[in-house]
């Protein structure tokens, strides 16, 4: 037995109880409610109807955690060592590097998660309750189990309630189930194992009453509500570390280990083999450690990610947590909510079937824009008068309103399905205001789920009466004797034809409504159910859908080309989900997996099924969370999109949680790493494009930086092994690493993503940051740096130059080679010998100019001479530095040419 089923032994399934049984169990009275005294006693027993605040991490602790990095530890040890030796210049530079990195990280981390705060804010502030047999308004947090609550259209449900009685009650439960359509509610109990979206007698905290009235009894409050259960899940969800941070951590550990081993080996060899004094060798070991530590890496990574954040913001993707910028580039699976993300969250009439024709309706959403088409040809109501009659019925048998806003958009007031009918009428050419004025409503039977229809009675100004009805096709067909229109009296109803049409619509994922009408006597002034038994003419069947976004269809295709699987997770019925998925290109030819089927699978089975299935229906918050965990356990990097409270736990668990900015709840936004400002799935594709470019830029920076550090380390090692004078002092090494390398490397953060970046497969999140090939590249270029710097140092010493001049030549050679190698580094494989390669990134040119100015100041400014022990260089000496840099550039380009020739585009990802 699963843990969930074991826990359910202690849960009362209120949805399966009769009303009187539920009231009796709660020791309440459906007419008089609780007494005030009893309510106070229950507050003491059950607590207030609110959620506990989350534990927050203090600012000082967040700042201290910025130092929790193995490279930072190595830098701090080096700073402490130099301080003990009295080398305050080196100590100051090292500590400054550590502090700058910590400040940048602290600023960029942003605000702490506030998901449970956002959920708490969804509880309504006040509600109407019956206590002591009187109606009174109280704060919702004072509600207790057993309270009798009265609700009306527009109210937010204040706690979990069992419906006692309702009239025309419909509730929007999208925040919990993901379904965009309001749910009809009745007091009748349902099966014990009914899914959340099918518990029609229950009202859940935080949902919204869209129409009707209700009396209900409070059954759960606070943390015991569905919202409370989700907030508890959210608190228990562990946030995953991003692939890049895992790679950087592994890289940092190996690099730190290598630095420590090199430094220790250097000290031991110098003291035991060459007999140097321990104090001198200790300073050399410190110089070696300083040369090998990539001091600028943490800060440059943060800056690179921040620049990526800004680029994504321009593309409508707002990043909340900085590492998500790069993680998007490694995503292998996108789990997307359907409603409002892949679809428009605006119901739209897509097809209309009459007795003789099938019309396709263009456009989407509530704007009355889009044509009427018959077999691909645009038609009008003048060509087919039945369209005008259907449109009139759609307007009159309707309680919704569409309003045109100042920005030319359309806003719906009322039921989404009725809004779709009004938009259709507008496309036909009907004027809603004129139709209602011409045939004013005399009486109506509002929609109720037990009757599955709505009926309205109208009279024109000459006295003629008409009843219009709309509802479930099987219900309306029972009332019809004719088909066509009110004037087609001799056309007998072909029931088989209409049933076939309804079945075809439903198979395509459409919600089907039937519309019918009949003439009545002028004297009729009210409509009763007895008036609806027969005599109607069936005007049409209307197929309504929440249509897929066109840009989402293209984005799904783009993701497929990039090797990213898109999986749709929704609260809809399986048939609807599968049909929408097929329109989007998701899960073609594969059955949908339902929440009930997920329940039956253990974690191991779900892991294998989750990889193969692409459409998941009737999914609860637990199902979404389990699916994300199963995919991660299978080695996938998962992005999860959502807009409801029900999505928050999965958003938090995913490698990248993506919330909707326009229609998303605050809970979803606060649990996410990224917010889509336009609620557009296509924006995720754009963000992946930028994210892949960011990862490339980080790799390029590391491939640029490590040879610099490696070259310096090799210079120091060679000097120790061959008992040479140290060509670089620790302070000079830090000048190269922190000032020139960082200045130059920052330019790579501005590189645009490569053209074929979305034609690659996602990188394996388990692969190391640097492959064996990259290791070869680092070793080769490091050797080139060492040959140039050590070679010129020894040459100058051989010519009789001073030690200061020789060291200044060595430093300038390393910096000059960096400038040339920066141009090589713009592309990992492609040649830089082109106009685009040489001049395509203006920031590279600016960085080279800035670095050249800094190095000239280092060489010729008196304060630099005093601080770093540098000295002036002659024009001939500068020319040697330039030739050394060109040597590095030429060999690096030849190596790339060999790689392209012998490995080609099939083996390598070319820039």
């Amino acid at each position: 037995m699963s843990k969930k089923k074991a826990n359910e032994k202690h849960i009362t399934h209120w949805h399966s109880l009769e009303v009187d049984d539920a009231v009796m169990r709660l020791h309440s009275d459906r007419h008089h409610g609780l007494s005030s005294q009893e309510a106070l006693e229950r507050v003491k027993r059950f607590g207030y109807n609110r959620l506990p605040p989350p534990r927050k991490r203090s600012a000082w602790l967040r700042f201290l955690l910025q130092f929790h990095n193995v490279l930072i530890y190595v830098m701090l040890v080096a700073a402490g060592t130099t301080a003990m030796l009295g080398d305050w210049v080196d100590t100051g530079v090292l500590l400054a590097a550590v502090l700058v990195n910590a400040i940048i990280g602290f600023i960029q981390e942003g605000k702490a998660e506030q998901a449970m705060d956002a959920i708490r804010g969804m509880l309504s502030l006040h509600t109407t309750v019956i206590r002591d047999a009187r109606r009174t308004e109280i704060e919702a947090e004072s509600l207790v189990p057993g309270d009798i609550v009265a609700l009306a259209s527009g109210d937010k449900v204040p706690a979990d309630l069992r419906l006692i009685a309702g009239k025309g009650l419909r509730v929007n439960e999208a925040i919990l189930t993901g379904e965009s359509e309001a749910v009809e509610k009745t007091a009748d109990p349902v099966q014990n194992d009914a899914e959340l979206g099918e518990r029609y007698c229950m009202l859940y905290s935080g949902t919204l009453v869209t129409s009707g009235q209700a009396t209900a009894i409070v059954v759960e409050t606070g943390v015991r509500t569905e919202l409370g259960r989700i907030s508890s899940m959210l608190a228990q969800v562990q946030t995953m570390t991003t692939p890049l941070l895992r790679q950087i951590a592994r890289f940092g550990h190996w690099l730190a280990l290598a630095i420590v081993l090199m430094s220790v080996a250097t000290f031991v060899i110098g003291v035991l083999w060459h007999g140097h004094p321990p104090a001198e060798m200790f300073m050399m070991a410190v110089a070696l450690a300083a040369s090998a530590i990539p001091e600028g890496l943490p800060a440059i990574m943060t800056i690179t990610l921040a620049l990526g954040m800004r680029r994504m913001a321009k593309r409508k993707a707002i990043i909340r947590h900085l590492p998500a910028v790069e993680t998007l580039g490694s995503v292998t699976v996108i789990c997307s909510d359907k409603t409002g993300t892949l679809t428009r969250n605006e119901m739209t009439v897509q097809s209309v079937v009459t007795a003789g024709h099938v019309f396709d309706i263009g456009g989407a959403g509530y704007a009355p824009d889009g044509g009427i088409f018959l077999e691909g040809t645009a038609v009008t109501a003048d060509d087919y008068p039945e369209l005008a009659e259907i449109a009139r019925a759609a307007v009159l048998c309707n309680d919704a309103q569409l309003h045109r806003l100042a920005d030319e958009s359309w806003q719906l007031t009322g039921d989404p399905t009725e809004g779709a009918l009004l938009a259709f009428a507008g496309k036909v050419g009907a004027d809603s205001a004129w139709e209602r004025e011409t045939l004013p409503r005399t009486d109506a039977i509002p929609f109720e789920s037990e009757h599955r229809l709505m009926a309205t009675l109208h009279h024109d100004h000459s006295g003629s009466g008409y009843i219009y009805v709309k509802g479930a096709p099987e219900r309306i067909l029972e009332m019809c004797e004719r088909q066509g229109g009110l004037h087609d009296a001799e056309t007998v109803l072909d029931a088989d034809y209409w049933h076939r049409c309804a079945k075809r619509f439903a198979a395509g994922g459409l919600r089907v409504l039937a519309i019918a009408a009949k003439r009545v006597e002028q004297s009729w002034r009210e409509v009763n159910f007895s008036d609806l038994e027969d005599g109607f003419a069936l005007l049409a069947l209307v197929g309504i859908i929440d249509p897929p976004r066109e840009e989402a269809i293209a984005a799904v295709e783009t993701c497929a080309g990039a090797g990213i699987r898109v999986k749709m997770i929704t609260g809809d019925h399986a048939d609807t989900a599968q049909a929408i998925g097929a329109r989007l290109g998701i899960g073609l030819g594969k059955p949908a997996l339902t929440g009930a089927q997920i329940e039956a699978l253990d974690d191991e089975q779900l892991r294998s099924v989750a990889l193969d299935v692409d459409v998941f229906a009737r999914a609860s918050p637990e199902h979404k969370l389990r699916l994300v965990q199963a995919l991660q356990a299978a080695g996938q990097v998962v992005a999860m999109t959502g807009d409801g409270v029900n999505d928050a736990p999965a958003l938090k668990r995913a490698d990248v949680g993506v919330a909707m900015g326009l229609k998303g709840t605050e809970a979803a936004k606060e649990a996410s790493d990224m917010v889509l400002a336009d609620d557009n799935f296509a924006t995720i594709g754009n963000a992946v494009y930028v994210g892949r470019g960011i990862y490339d830029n980080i790799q390029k920076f590391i491939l640029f930086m490590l040879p610099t550090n490696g070259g310096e380390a090799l210079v120091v090692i060679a000097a120790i092994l061959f008992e040479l004078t140290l060509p670089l002092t620790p302070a000079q090494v830090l000048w190269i690493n922190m000032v020139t390398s960082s200045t130059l490397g920052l330019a790579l953060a501005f590189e645009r993503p490569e053209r074929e970046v979305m034609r690659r497969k996602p990188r394996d999140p388990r692969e190391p940051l640097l492959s064996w090939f990259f290791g070869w590249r680092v070793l080769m270029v490091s050797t080139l740096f060492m040959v140039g710097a050590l070679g010129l140092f020894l040459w100058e010493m051989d010519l009789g130059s001073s030690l200061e001049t020789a060291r200044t030549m060595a430093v300038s050679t390393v910096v000059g080679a960096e400038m040339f190698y920066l141009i090589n580094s713009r592309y990992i494989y492609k040649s830089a010998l082109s106009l685009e390669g040489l001049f395509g990134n203006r920031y590279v040119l600016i960085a080279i100019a800035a670095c050249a100015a800094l190095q000239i100041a280092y060489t010729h400014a008196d304060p630099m001479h005093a601080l770093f022990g540098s000295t002036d260089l002659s024009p001939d000496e500068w020319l040697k530095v330039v030739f050394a840099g060109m040597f590095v550039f030429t060999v690096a380009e030849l190596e790339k040419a060999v790689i392209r020739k012998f490995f080609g585009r099939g083996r390598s990802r070319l820039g």
Side-chain angles (χ1 to χ4, degrees):
M1 182 182 293
S2 71
K3 185 184 289 186
K4 182 176 186 296
K5 291 191 181 296
N7 290 340
E8 284 182 351
K9 286 184 176 181
H10 307 290
I11 298 173
T12 302
H13 294 281
W14 299 103
H15 55 273
S16 65
L17 300 179
E18 294 287 347
V19 171
D20 290 338
D21 191 8
V23 174
M24 182 184 67
R25 289 195 184 201
L26 290 163
H27 306 288
S28 186
D29 186 294
R30 61 192 298 178
H31 301 295
H32 298 88
L34 299 174
S35 67
S36 298
Q37 184 61 38
E38 177 63 21
L40 287 174
E41 291 295 326
R42 294 193 183 191
V43 167
K44 294 176 184 176
R45 185 167 20 137
F46 296 104
Y48 284 101
N49 179 34
R50 59 191 180 202
L51 304 180
R55 294 176 61 185
K56 293 185 179 180
R57 206 165 54 184
S58 64
W60 66 267
L61 179 58
R62 287 194 293 119
F63 181 72
L64 286 179
L65 287 174
Q66 304 303 318
F67 297 91
H68 184 50
N69 180 302
V70 67
L71 293 178
I72 299 297
Y73 294 152
V74 174
M75 290 167 69
L76 288 172
V77 170
T81 305
T82 54
M84 286 189 295
L85 295 172
D87 191 348
W88 299 111
V89 172
D90 292 347
T91 302
V93 175
L94 279 164
L95 290 178
V98 170
L99 189 61
V100 166
N101 175 70
I103 291 172
I104 291 174
F106 178 76
I107 292 172
Q108 292 292 349
E109 188 178 89
K111 59 183 179 179
E113 289 183 11
Q114 300 168 358
M116 286 186 284
D117 282 337
I119 294 176
R120 282 202 308 279
M122 301 187 70
L123 296 175
S124 57
L125 298 178
H126 295 86
T127 190
T128 301
V129 66
I130 299 174
R131 285 185 182 169
D132 301 314
R134 295 195 310 270
R135 285 190 175 224
T136 183
E137 190 174 276
I138 65 169
E139 291 187 358
E141 69 172 23
S142 299
L143 284 175
V144 293
D147 265 326
I148 306 298
V149 174
L151 297 170
S153 179
D155 286 346
K156 190 176 286 186
V157 179
D160 283 2
L161 314 175
R162 170 63 169 89
L163 187 61
I164 293 175
K167 183 173 183 181
L169 185 65
R170 307 192 80 195
V171 178
N172 186 323
E173 296 182 331
I175 65 165
L176 290 177
T177 65
E179 291 194 59
S180 56
E181 192 174 343
V183 180
E184 303 151 21
K185 295 291 184 176
T186 68
D188 298 327
V190 296
Q191 291 294 321
N192 194 57
D193 58 355
E195 298 286 346
L196 185 72
E198 296 172 353
R199 297 174 188 174
Y200 303 118
C201 59
M202 295 294 297
L203 310 178
Y204 290 106
S205 179
T207 59
L208 186 69
V209 177
T210 59
S211 62
Q213 297 176 333
T215 303
I217 185 168
V218 176
V219 295
E220 302 288 1
T221 58
V223 294
R224 293 176 295 278
T225 63
E226 282 295 313
L227 272 184
R229 191 173 56 82
I230 293 173
S231 74
S232 299
M233 286 172 53
L234 199 59
Q236 296 165 10
V237 172
Q238 292 184 344
T239 305
M240 296 290 288
T241 306
T242 69
L244 177 66
L245 293 182
R246 293 196 292 270
Q247 289 176 323
I248 289 290
R250 287 196 298 268
F251 170 71
H253 281 91
W254 282 110
L255 186 59
L257 180 61
I259 291 170
V260 171
L261 289 177
M262 279 197 306
S263 300
V264 170
T266 300
F267 180 83
V268 170
I269 290 171
V271 173
L272 299 182
W273 184 9
H274 294 302
H276 290 301
E280 179 186 335
M281 286 313 303
F282 188 80
M283 279 306 300
M284 284 192 172
V286 170
L288 176 60
S291 67
I293 295 171
E295 293 93 343
L297 177 58
I300 291 294
M301 268 192 54
T302 303
I303 293 168
T304 303
L305 294 174
L307 289 170
M309 176 188 288
R310 191 174 68 179
R311 286 181 187 171
M312 289 184 180
K314 291 180 180 178
R315 294 172 177 260
K316 306 294 186 183
I318 311 302
I319 300 296
R320 295 188 65 253
H321 299 130
L322 199 58
V325 173
E326 178 280 328
T327 309
L328 280 161
S330 60
V331 162
T332 59
V333 175
I334 300 175
C335 295
S336 179
D337 186 36
K338 175 184 75 70
T339 304
T341 311
L342 293 168
T343 64
R344 296 176 59 93
N345 198 18
E346 295 177 336
M347 302 301 287
T348 302
V349 174
Q350 186 168 291
S351 295
V352 173
V353 174
T354 65
H357 304 98
V358 178
F359 296 96
D360 295 318
I361 315 301
Y366 300 128
D369 303 322
I372 313 295
F373 300 89
L374 181 61
E375 297 180 354
T377 302
V379 298
T380 66
D382 294 334
D383 304 319
Y384 296 91
E386 63 263 39
L387 287 171
E389 192 166 5
I390 298 165
R392 180 179 301 116
V395 169
L396 297 177
C397 191
N398 199 314
D399 288 330
Q401 297 282 343
L402 285 177
H403 308 282
R404 192 167 195 166
L405 304 179
D407 61 357
E408 301 299 313
S409 64
W410 290 81
Q411 184 181 59
L412 170 68
T413 302
D415 182 77
T417 299
E418 294 192 326
L421 292 174
L422 290 181
F424 157 72
K427 294 171 187 178
V428 172
D431 183 328
S432 296
W434 186 86
E435 295 288 357
R436 287 167 174 159
E437 184 180 336
T438 305
L439 281 167
R441 183 184 295 187
T442 309
D443 194 20
I445 296 176
F447 186 91
E448 292 188 10
S449 56
E450 58 264 39
H451 304 300
R452 295 181 296 164
L453 59 80
M454 174 183 180
T456 56
L457 173 63
H458 302 262
H459 287 82
D460 61 23
H461 296 296
S462 61
S464 298
Y466 303 88
I467 296 177
Y468 292 101
V469 295
K470 72 172 188 290
E474 58 274 19
R475 178 71 178 88
I476 302 299
L477 281 168
E478 295 172 356
M479 301 155 46
C480 295
E481 299 170 353
R482 307 184 310 280
Q483 65 187 35
L486 292 175
H487 304 289
D488 302 328
E490 303 303 321
T491 307
V492 178
L493 182 76
D494 182 355
D496 288 341
Y497 165 76
W498 295 105
H499 282 300
R500 286 196 306 272
C501 291
K503 193 172 182 179
R504 188 169 68 248
F505 274 7
L510 302 178
R511 185 188 180 202
V512 189
L513 279 182
I515 299 178
K518 79 171 180 179
R519 289 177 178 270
V520 296
E521 297 293 331
Q522 179 179 352
S523 59
W524 289 20
R525 284 294 178 266
E526 62 179 37
V527 59
N528 301 301
F529 283 106
S530 59
D531 303 323
L532 307 180
E533 293 178 357
D534 53 32
F536 281 85
L538 185 61
L539 303 181
L541 292 183
V542 179
I544 302 174
I545 196 170
D546 180 7
R549 294 173 177 266
E550 291 298 324
E551 61 272 24
I553 297 174
V556 169
E557 187 177 353
T558 299
C559 288
I564 301 171
R565 290 279 293 274
V566 178
K567 297 179 182 291
M568 187 174 77
I569 307 176
T570 178
D572 277 342
H573 290 282
D575 291 342
T576 302
Q578 201 165 345
I580 294 292
R583 291 168 181 253
L584 288 157
I586 301 173
L588 295 172
K590 298 178 182 177
L593 193 71
T594 65
Q597 291 169 317
I598 293 173
E599 283 282 335
L601 301 174
D602 61 30
D603 291 343
E604 188 65 34
Q605 292 170 323
L606 184 60
R607 188 181 307 171
S608 59
V609 170
L611 285 171
D612 188 53
V613 177
D614 291 330
V615 177
F616 300 89
R618 285 301 191 204
S620 70
E622 291 95 339
H623 300 148
K624 294 182 180 184
L625 182 57
R626 282 192 67 201
L627 284 169
V628 170
Q629 291 171 325
L631 290 166
Q632 288 173 331
Q636 304 297 309
V637 178
V638 183
M640 171 76 193
T641 75
D643 56 1
V645 178
N646 59 323
D647 299 316
L651 288 173
K652 183 179 177 183
R653 172 68 188 197
D655 296 284
V656 183
V658 183
M660 303 299 107
L662 296 177
K663 297 177 181 175
T665 62
E666 286 303 311
K669 293 175 190 175
E670 292 299 336
S672 68
D673 302 292
M674 182 173 88
V675 177
L676 302 184
D678 56 359
D679 285 14
N680 190 340
F681 182 85
T683 302
I684 302 175
N686 292 334
V688 169
Y689 169 78
V690 175
R692 288 189 173 188
I694 292 298
Y695 184 78
D696 285 354
N697 290 349
I698 290 173
Q699 272 197 326
K700 290 172 184 177
F701 172 73
I702 292 175
L703 280 177
F704 167 76
M705 176 201 63
L706 285 187
T708 303
N709 295 75
E712 296 162 10
L714 289 178
V715 167
V716 174
I717 290 171
I720 293 169
L721 289 177
F722 297 106
E723 297 189 292
L724 304 172
T725 304
L726 201 62
L728 302 170
T729 67
Q732 289 171 339
V733 166
L734 289 168
W735 165 265
I736 296 171
N737 290 355
M738 284 303 297
V739 180
T740 58
S741 291
S742 299
T743 302
L744 292 169
L746 183 59
L748 294 174
F750 294 90
E751 286 291 332
R752 298 187 189 94
E754 298 164 5
R755 289 173 185 166
E756 59 277 346
V757 72
M758 289 301 283
R759 292 198 293 271
R760 303 180 203 153
K761 290 183 178 179
R763 75 175 191 276
D764 187 342
R766 293 164 295 190
E767 75 179 16
L769 191 61
L770 296 180
S771 64
W772 286 110
F773 166 73
F774 285 171
W776 149 253
R777 171 75 61 83
V778 169
L779 179 61
M780 181 199 74
V781 180
S782 297
T783 304
L784 295 177
F785 273 71
M786 181 203 70
V787 169
L790 187 59
L792 283 183
F793 174 81
L794 295 175
W795 188 4
E796 288 300 312
M797 292 295 289
D798 190 56
L799 291 174
S801 299
S802 66
L803 178 60
E804 289 78 10
T805 300
R807 281 178 168 170
T808 304
M809 284 287 288
V811 171
S812 298
T813 299
V814 172
V815 174
E818 284 178 346
M819 295 183 199
F820 282 96
Y821 184 57
L822 178 66
I823 299 173
N824 293 115
S825 300
R826 289 197 60 212
Y827 305 114
I828 295 176
Y829 300 99
K830 192 170 74 173
S831 173
L833 294 172
S834 65
L835 287 175
E836 169 64 25
L838 294 172
F839 306 108
N841 183 346
R842 73 176 185 272
Y843 295 101
V844 167
L845 303 178
I846 293 170
I848 289 174
C851 186
L854 287 169
Q855 191 58 30
I856 289 170
Y858 171 90
T859 307
H860 297 292
D862 290 336
M864 295 296 189
H865 294 169
L867 190 60
F868 292 102
S870 59
T871 189
D872 296 315
L873 296 180
S874 68
D876 287 343
E877 289 166 337
W878 275 117
L879 191 60
K880 293 176 187 177
V881 169
V882 172
F883 274 115
M886 291 182 65
F887 166 72
V888 172
F889 178 86
T890 303
V891 176
E893 284 299 307
L894 286 173
E895 185 256 5
K896 287 198 285 186
V898 170
I899 294 295
R900 292 196 302 273
K901 179 175 177 62
F902 290 99
F903 294 95
R905 301 183 75 89
R907 284 280 301 276
S908 301
R909 180 213 56 182
L910 300 181

